[in-house]
Amino acid sequence: MMCGLQGNGKTTHAAKLGKFYRSQGRRPLLVACDIYRPAAIEQLKVVGEQAGVPVFTLGTEKPELIAQKAMAYAKDHGNDIVILDTAGRLHNKKGLMDELSKISRSVKKASPEASLEMLLVLDAITGQNAISQAHEFCRAASATGVVLTKLDGTAKGGIAIAIARELGVPVKFAGVGEGID
């Protein structure tokens, strides 16, 4: 499950992860749980196609319902990795953070045997504010790792080291460039 602020690269990195797992012989499924940004579902379909990874969508249903139905779909269709692309959200908006918790609970309920990774996607240029973001995303959805994106610029992403040290949340992936290659 991808979480983080708007514009940090969740959708693009979801497709990159799908392509990575597909190259390892896995059967990933991308799930469009971002119902708030008008172009989000279409963007995920485009990058999913570029990555050669199918996309599950239910339009503007509640994200927790989409996640739950996607888990059942994945079981029925032999997908062994499900990547949820959630809506970007500010870490200080309680309602949105509560929704993230609901999505997480919905996945656990639909597939209790599944291993759930909650990846906090951070733009490498983010400074000290990333620590407060990480605190809130860990509290709301038990973030298990950090994805550092946009390392192709001048940003060094050093805040990820502070997050790993302070919260014990490791950096699991790093992304460069806008494409999915």
Side-chain angles (χ1 to χ4, degrees):
M1 191 159 124
M2 312 298 280
C3 66
L5 271 62
Q6 296 168 324
N8 280 3
K10 290 176 300 302
T11 302
T12 300
H13 205 79
K16 287 181 179 187
L17 285 175
K19 184 175 181 178
F20 169 75
Y21 287 120
R22 189 176 60 82
S23 75
Q24 293 185 335
R26 306 292 298 269
R27 294 182 38 96
L29 176 68
L30 299 175
V31 181
C33 287
D34 181 351
I35 61 166
Y36 302 113
R37 189 169 52 94
I41 294 169
E42 199 56 41
Q43 180 187 0
L44 189 63
K45 287 179 181 178
V46 168
V47 294
E49 185 176 317
Q50 291 171 355
V53 178
V55 176
F56 180 88
T57 180
L58 288 178
T60 56
E61 290 284 339
K62 291 185 176 190
E64 60 270 19
L65 179 64
I66 295 170
Q68 187 175 20
K69 288 187 177 182
M71 296 305 290
Y73 178 92
K75 284 180 188 175
D76 292 345
H77 291 85
N79 299 99
D80 58 358
I81 294 199
V82 177
I83 302 168
L84 302 175
D85 180 32
T86 67
R89 58 196 76 229
L90 291 173
H91 59 289
N92 58 359
K93 299 293 183 190
K94 184 176 178 353
L96 291 174
M97 295 305 281
D98 289 346
E99 180 183 82
L100 199 57
S101 297
K102 285 181 190 176
I103 296 169
S104 180
R105 286 192 307 272
S106 181
V107 168
K108 289 176 186 173
K109 183 178 179 183
S111 191
E113 74 285 353
S115 171
L116 179 62
E117 288 275 347
M118 175 65 71
L119 299 175
L120 172 58
V121 180
L122 293 173
D123 186 324
I125 200 166
T126 307
Q128 288 296 318
N129 187 39
I131 291 178
S132 61
Q133 289 175 37
H135 274 288
E136 293 305 317
F137 280 103
C138 284
R139 186 175 331 190
S142 303
T144 58
V146 170
V147 175
L148 204 54
T149 62
K150 305 177 187 179
L151 278 166
D152 54 329
T154 59
K156 304 294 184 232
I159 199 66
I161 305 302
I163 290 170
R165 188 177 323 134
E166 187 171 324
L167 298 173
V169 179
V171 176
K172 296 218 173 177
F173 296 98
V176 294
E178 291 182 14
I180 60 160
D181 291 329

